[in-house]
Structures are given as C-alpha cells and as structure tokens.
Amino acid sequence: MRITTPVLLAGLATLTAVTKISIDAFFPSRSRLSWKLLAAPAAIAIAPAMTQAQQLEWAPITFTSDAGEVTDAERAVMTVPERHANPSGATIKFPVIRFKSKAVNPGPPIVYLAGGPGNAGTASARRDQYFPGAMALREIADVIFFDQRGTGASEPSLVVDARFNIPSDQPIGSPASRARFAQIADSAANVVRARGVDLGAYNTEEAANDVEAIRRALGADKIALWGHSYGSHLGLAYIKRYEARVSRAIFGGINGLDQRWRYPSEGQQWLQTIDAATKKDARLQSQMPDFLGTTRRAIEKLEATPIRVTANDQTALIGADEIRTLFVLQGGESDFVKRLPLIVANIDKGDVAQYVPFVRAALRARQIGSAMTYTTHLASGVSQHQLDRIAREAPGTILRDAINYPFSDDGFRKAWGAGDLGESFRSPVKSSVPTLFLSGTLDGRTSVSAAREVKKGFSNATHIILDGAAHDIYGETPELVILMNRFMSGERLKDVTLYIPIEFHGPDEPAIVAELHDIVLKDGAAVAIERAKDLRAPGSGKNLTSYVMLDLANTLDRTDKRPADAIAILKAGTEMFPTTPAMFTRLGGMLATVDRAAAAAAYRRAVQINPLLRFAAVQLTKLEGQ
C-alpha cells in the first residue's frame, strides 16, 4: 500500500475552514513558483580547499515512515575527508536520502540538518515530526536528509555500546559520581580512538564543510537549509562560512553559535512560562494554584533531605540535583512538559519512588551513544564571560546550572579531549539570507529569547512563535507546515504567533482514574461515564482531562480485558474532548475489528483534527482499501 503526498493533501483540505488558507497556499508551487577546555585547539582551516565534487550514485529505494506511509526516494553514500584541510587523509562515509521534487521547476534543494548533536537525519525523516513537512516541501524542491558524521549509519561509527552507570546511592554531583562520569568518558573516548578515529575532527566546523560537500555533490549552485535544535547551530555555522551558497533557511529550536551552554535565567523563564500557562486553566488551578512556588518548595525539600528509595535490593537516591537535571534533560519533550504539574505535586508530597526509573534512564544509566555528541558540543565551547554569567545567575534560580550538566564538570570535559573552536567561531552571525526562525514557548531546551538574540544578526528574518509548544514543534499544527511551505516558495512572511492548545496532567488525575475504574468494575461503564461528566462540569473542583479517559480505557482493555467497557469510555471521551486526536485514534484502533465503519469514522476525525499525525491516516487508508 502506497500513501503519498495526495493523501496528505486530502487530509489538509479540512484545514481551510479553520486556517482560511487554501491548499494552493500549502503547495504554492502549484500556483506560483573560568573554566577552560584543556585540550589543544582543533586545527581547522578558515576556508579549506574543497576537493573535486563527488559524483553521487543514486539508487532508488522505497521509503517507509514510522507511521507506515510509503513513498519513493533515492539513496546515495557520501565520502568526505575526516579533516577537510587534509583531503588525502582519512575519510568518513555517510548515507544521504533524497526525496525528488514533484515540482515542474524545482527550487534549490532543501537540506535537513538534524539535532542533538547525535541524531541521525535519515531516522528523523521517518518521524511524524518531519515526514509530513518533508512531503509538503517536496512540492517545491528536492528534500535531502543525511546522517551527520558520527551519527546513524555513518562510518566509522563513534557509538560506544555502554552506559555511564553512575552510583545510584550517591548524588549525581558528588565527588564519586563526578569521578565516575569522567572515568567512563575517558574510557569511551579511548575506545573510539582505538578505532583510528580522530575525535577532534567531530565538530561543527567540519560538519559545515560536509554540508558544503553535499551541495557540490548535488550540483546545486545554492541550497536551502532546514535545521532544528543543534541543526540550527550547524546551519548558522554553514551560513557564516558559505552564505552565498544559501538561498533560504528555516531554523527551529534555535541554538546560536555561542549558545551551546545555556543560562540559568532561561530555565527560570521556562518554569515561569509553564506557571503562566497553568494559571490559564481554571480546572487545573483548583489543584495546582501555584506551579512555580510548588516547584521551588518541592526542590528545596529535596535539597534539605534527599530521599532514598530501596527497590529490588538496590538503593536509589533522589535529591534536588537529580530532579533539576531530569527536568532540563526532558524539558524539550511535549509529553513531559504536560506532565509537570502532576510530577511536581508528587515530588512535593514526597512521592518520588515512581521517578527512580526515569532518573536511572536519563541520568545514572544513560547510554553513552556516539562520542560525537560530546566532542561536538565541547568544541563549540563557551567563553569566560558566559561562564561568569552562568555562575552569577545559578544561585537565584530554581534549576540552577542543571541545563549544562554534565559538561559543567571539568573532568568530564577534559576526558573527551575536544578542542575549542574559539571566539571567532562563536561570534554573532550577520546575514541577509531570508531566514524563518521557529520557537516554542514551553521549550525547556532552547528559548524564545535565544532565538531573538540570533535573529538580531539577520536583516531578512521572520520569527514564528508557537505559544503552547515545546521543543518538538513540527507536529503541533498544520498551519506551521503551511507557513514553512509558503516561506520556502519565496514568500516573505510576517512575524506571527500560533496558539497551540495545551492540556496538562493534573495532580488529581491518578485519583480520578482510580475512582472511575472502581465504578466501572462495580456499577458498569454507563455509571462511570455519568460520574466523569459530573467531574468535568464547571465548579466540580476536579480536573478531569482527556488523559483520564484514555488511561481508564487502556486499563480496562489491557489489564481488565473488558474491551466493550473501554470502547464505551472512549466514545464518551470523544464527546467530552472533541478536539483531541489521540482519543479518536485510540477509539479507531479499538473498533477496527468490531465495527469497521465506526473505526473509519474515528480515524477520519483524528486526521481532520491534525493531518500531521499520520498513524490515523495510514489506518484509515488500510480500512478503506480492504
């Protein structure tokens, strides 16, 4: 089964009544075309001579997204020097995927730059965050995804298949934990060096030269850039070096050349923004009237008295630094941000045992992954001026300097032996390249203020703010993809704010799920549904959310094996929360084997609400094709 751009078009047709933007606007091409890094500085030429352009050998492939959509594409393998200043030395290979444009007269190829550093571009292309946008931009130009050096299927591999394994009963900031971090980092770096890898060559300057090699191999006079998070950092470095080769650029989750290290004030502003968002929800206010104050109190309690939890004969410590760091590491994930009121309420009352697995996965037993993640970050570096500001700001903020963990540890930095690219690399980018900046207000990884700072250097820039979005912005609203498409088609856009409805998990959510579950088992689903309606009513003092209905249905189906009751709860949930696509998608899945017409209707409604969430579209096509 092949689901291609026309299917996406059909789903987007439903947007016209809401956004007042026509399908021609979505596809304009149809109508118009004092810490110092201790290692020696990296030896990077300012403008290395490029070797003769590689002739790419493209092979046709069938590309399948994570949602199951299938389209045609081409794959090739690039070979570049490990050090571009030494073209006769060691080389690096990485895969490149091209989605050929459907336009009669395609524009400059659009090259996607993945985030991380460490994310594989070819894997990103499969995700709902990027695949629908790529298919839309394909109507304008070829869209290129590739695995940056040190990521994905690039060769040589820099992946170390091991974990940090920090002692679970020690604070992550303790001397023992820091020593362990440095020891593991040193060991991992030596493992990679033993493969003959020059770790100093894995930095943003060399990666920018890789992008230029791709442009030359494509035979394109100019390319357009689409970079997210670290990808924006890389894109800015490319513009700084090869501005004349860039037609346009879209950067989301902005990370400037001097912004790899973040300021504690940005974390404080993030919490304040979440606090303001929670205060707009009248039902949540009854349960969480002061998110910011509760967060401060909860962390201060752990600062004074860390909690030790024993499970499976192992003691795990949860203290203030563990929670601070968990918050900032996961703060870009929309699902995590939406859970913060519930998480903070649990921590405030001392219920931290349930978060031990998350702290273990994100911190103590984190996969090392690719060494490129660490060397690239460290090479971009930080000035003494920035370090001084970080030190001044940290004591007055709730999350302190957690955003820079573990790079703020001198031993960890030294272990990787990465060179600092220097102040000239970090100097502001000044450019006339038409550039579209994208920021989410609830993004705990990159901030709106950081984007505004970078934007100052661009004379032809537009800033779109997604109010209510976190770091993962591209699946939130089809209107964003429409604007990206219009921009890449050559249209000049105005600054605009897109409002993203956000529903938080409330502190009383588990209790409500348990109450309704007991009612279903005792009195039946119909009685539980009436109780849910009462709890949903204004003035109930409760915060019944769509998550409650979804969790209840999942428990009834998967644990209790009562699918009929689960379907009844989901049907009631779609009536109570008619703009929640997850509710309709789950209902469609439950109905698929018992009522195909009703299942199709549920999937169709999910697609109408947000056609960028492609799983429902794939399932709908399957039902309609059988």
Side-chain angles (χ1 to χ4, degrees), residues 137 199 231 372 516 552 573 585 596:
L137 292 172
L199 279 176
M372 170 268 195
L516 295 177
L552 176 59
T585 299
R596 294 170 56 82

Side-chain angles (χ1 to χ4, degrees), residues 83-247:
R83 295 271 190 178
H84 283 270
N86 181 21
S88 62
T91 59
I92 294 170
K93 294 181 179 181
F94 53 82
V96 183
I97 289 177
R98 177 168 67 180
F99 298 105
K100 288 285 288 182
S101 178
K102 304 300 183 182
V104 176
N105 297 303
I110 301 169
V111 179
Y112 175 75
L113 307 175
N119 295 339
T122 58
S124 297
R126 295 183 169 85
R127 297 176 54 202
D128 269 1
Q129 279 290 316
Y130 305 105
F131 182 79
M135 294 302 99
L137 292 172
R138 189 181 193 179
E139 294 291 314
I140 299 168
D142 294 351
V143 182
I144 309 294
F145 287 80
F146 72 101
D147 290 351
Q148 296 167 28
R149 56 173 58 203
T151 73
S154 66
E155 298 176 2
S157 172
L158 269 65
V159 172
V160 178
D161 188 16
R163 298 178 183 272
F164 282 108
N165 286 330
I166 306 305
S168 62
D169 61 344
Q170 294 288 323
I172 60 171
S174 70
S177 294
R178 289 182 177 274
R180 177 64 174 169
F181 247 120
Q183 176 189 356
I184 293 296
D186 184 67
S187 176
N190 287 332
V191 166
V192 177
R193 291 190 188 100
R195 300 171 189 169
V197 171
D198 176 3
L199 279 176
Y202 288 81
N203 60 58
T204 301
E205 287 279 25
E206 293 287 3
N209 291 329
D210 292 345
V211 177
E212 173 63 4
I214 291 173
R215 181 198 65 78
R216 287 162 51 85
L218 293 172
D221 181 58
K222 292 188 175 187
I223 56 176
L225 303 176
W226 173 18
H228 188 70
S229 195
Y230 168 74
S232 70
H233 187 84
L234 173 56
L236 290 166
Y238 183 81
I239 288 176
K240 193 172 188 178
R241 174 167 288 201
Y242 300 106
E243 179 178 16
R245 296 302 187 182
V246 183
S247 62

Side-chain angles (χ1 to χ4, degrees), residues 342-359:
L342 172 59
I343 293 171
V344 165
N346 287 337
I347 294 171
D348 188 44
K349 63 185 181 183
D351 182 9
V352 300
Q354 61 186 298
Y355 303 116
V356 169
F358 298 99
V359 169

Side-chain angles (χ1 to χ4, degrees), residues 115-116 119 127 129-130 228-232 252-255 260 262 270 329-335 337 438-447 466 468-476:
N119 295 339
R127 297 176 54 202
Q129 279 290 316
Y130 305 105
H228 188 70
S229 195
Y230 168 74
S232 70
I254 316 306
N255 185 230
R260 286 308 300 165
R262 311 313 304 274
W270 174 59
L329 286 179
Q330 301 299 116
E333 301 296 327
S334 179
D335 288 343
V337 172
L438 312 173
S439 301
T441 59
L442 301 184
D443 184 356
R445 297 300 300 167
T446 59
S447 66
L466 289 90
H471 196 58
D472 42 353
I473 56 177
Y474 300 102
E476 293 288 359

